[in-house]
């Protein structure tokens, strides 16, 4: 399975509009972060986790020419706002695109993109098939996704385990029951927003403590804000099995 980090930034991206901090002024390409999203390719099947506001550019930057399905972690705009840009895949593949999400996520999509579901549809709108999922394993084009319910302040969010790969974003609490699903993971991706405490995201310290508990072979930090610091500086102080993810990073599991 091939994994591409399409975006590794928080809801405002990096650089932040109007900010003049050293991270936002950095010339290191690894400090340029689009909103968080992931691409999974397995034996020709192409799946994206979350379609944020940067979805169009992420598809272009990473030369992704096929989309078989979209899986959603939760309904926040930085994870859903780019849905309209699935249209070229509709046209090219001549098929509706399956969307997988909880009832809450799908209802939010129906509200924000009401024109997709209108009785009298405008020509050329996105064509989707809605698939409701719960906190039970589900199949996406022959690939099994095991949800891991985490808390994003008071909002339930899904991380996902696929084989020995686990992806968790927008979390600041994971219950003991859900942690059991993560144990044994060989590759773990986890959000680490910043250094100081945050109401709805793991800090770097909290993320590293969780990684130490799970003890994967390798771990990657994502959903990073400019407040975490320069990529190069942070990476220097991380444990040997932990890396800062960056946009365009590709790994195989």
């Amino acid at each position: 399975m091939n994994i591409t980090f399409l975006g590794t930034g928080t809801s405002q991206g990096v650089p932040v509009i109007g900010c003049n901090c050293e991270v936002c002024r950095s010339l290191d390409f690894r400090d340029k972060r689009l909103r968080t999203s992931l691409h999974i390719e397995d034996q020709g099947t192409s799946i994206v986790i979350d379609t944020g506001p940067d979805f169009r550019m992420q598809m272009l930057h990473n030369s992704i020419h096929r989309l078989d399905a979209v899986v959603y972690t939760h309904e926040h705009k930085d994870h859903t706002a780019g849905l309209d840009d699935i249209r070229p895949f509709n046209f090219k593949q001549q098929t509706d695109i399956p969307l997988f999400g909880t009832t809450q996520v799908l209802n939010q999509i129906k509200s924000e993109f009401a024109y997709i579901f209108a009785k009298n549809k405008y020509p050329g709108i996105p064509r989707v098939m809605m698939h409701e999922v719960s906190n039970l394993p589900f199949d996406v084009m022959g690939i099994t996704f095991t949800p891991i319910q985490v808390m994003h302040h008071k909002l339930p969010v899904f991380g996902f385990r696929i084989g020995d790969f686990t992806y968790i974003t927008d979390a600041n609490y994971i219950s003991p029951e859900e942690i059991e699903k993560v144990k044994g993971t060989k590759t773990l991706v986890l959000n680490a927003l910043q250094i100081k405490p945050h109401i709805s995201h793991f800090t770097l310290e909290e993320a590293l403590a969780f990684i130490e508990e799970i003890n994967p072979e390798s771990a990657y930090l994502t959903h990073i804000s400019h407040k975490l610091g320069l990529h190069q500086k942070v990476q220097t102080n991380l444990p040997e099995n932990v890396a800062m993810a960056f946009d365009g990073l590709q790994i195989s599991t």
Side-chain angles (χ1 to χ4, degrees):
M1 187 167 68
N2 297 314
I3 306 293
T4 302
F5 290 85
L6 303 175
T8 57
T10 187
S11 58
Q12 296 186 76
V14 183
V16 175
I17 294 173
C19 183
N20 198 39
C21 74
E22 66 172 357
V23 177
C24 290
R25 289 186 288 108
S26 171
L27 299 180
D28 187 339
F29 73 94
R30 296 171 300 180
D31 288 318
K32 312 297 183 186
R33 303 183 183 279
L34 300 176
R35 268 60 73 93
T36 299
S37 179
L38 199 76
H39 179 251
I40 297 168
E41 191 276 328
D42 187 22
Q43 298 183 353
T45 298
S46 174
I47 300 170
V48 165
I49 298 181
D50 292 335
T51 55
D54 305 310
F55 176 76
R56 175 178 175 272
M57 294 309 301
Q58 290 166 340
M59 296 299 97
L60 293 171
H61 287 169
N62 294 280
S63 299
I64 296 173
H65 302 296
R66 181 173 182 83
L67 180 64
D68 293 303
V70 178
V71 179
Y72 285 103
T73 58
H74 65 296
E75 63 270 28
H76 281 167
K77 292 284 280 188
D78 56 319
H79 295 260
T80 64
L83 175 60
D84 186 82
D85 284 319
I86 68 167
R87 289 181 295 144
F89 296 111
N90 291 141
F91 302 152
K92 181 178 181 180
Q93 297 167 203
Q94 287 298 297
T95 186
D96 297 0
I97 302 296
L99 309 181
F100 294 81
T102 62
T103 300
Q104 190 167 339
V105 172
L106 298 184
N107 285 342
Q108 187 75 1
I109 287 173
K110 289 176 183 177
S111 174
E112 292 188 4
F113 298 92
Y115 60 92
I116 296 178
F117 309 95
K119 183 177 180 180
N120 297 315
K121 293 180 173 57
Y122 185 84
I125 61 172
R127 292 162 39 203
V128 301
M129 295 179 288
M130 307 285 264
H131 296 274
E132 183 179 329
V133 301
S134 61
N135 194 6
L136 294 170
F138 59 94
D139 179 90
V140 181
M141 312 298 291
I143 300 172
T144 299
F145 280 66
T146 299
I148 300 155
Q149 184 171 284
V150 304
M151 295 305 296
H152 182 37
H153 188 39
K154 297 181 180 181
L155 178 71
V157 169
F158 273 171
F160 299 105
R161 180 165 180 171
I162 309 155
D164 290 327
F165 173 79
T166 298
Y167 178 74
I168 298 173
T169 183
D170 289 73
N172 71 322
Y173 174 78
I174 308 175
S175 72
E177 295 79 11
E178 297 300 302
I179 290 174
E180 287 298 315
K181 299 180 185 178
V182 184
K183 290 182 178 178
T185 291
K186 292 182 179 179
T187 305
L188 173 63
V189 179
L190 188 66
N191 66 302
L193 185 75
Q194 59 189 36
I195 302 297
K196 294 181 179 180
H198 191 272
I199 193 171
S200 60
H201 286 279
F202 284 137
T203 63
L204 177 59
E205 181 180 3
E206 290 167 339
L208 291 177
F210 183 76
I211 291 168
E212 183 176 8
E213 177 182 356
I214 299 301
N215 192 29
E217 292 179 4
S218 59
Y220 297 87
L221 305 178
T222 192
H223 212 295
I224 294 163
S225 83
H226 62 154
K227 295 180 180 179
L228 185 58
L230 292 166
H231 180 107
Q232 185 174 5
K233 288 184 179 179
V234 177
Q235 182 62 59
T236 301
N237 296 311
L238 294 179
E240 187 175 344
N241 68 327
V242 182
M244 292 267 282
F246 55 87
D247 292 15
L249 173 65
Q250 296 182 334
I251 60 174
S252 295
T253 64

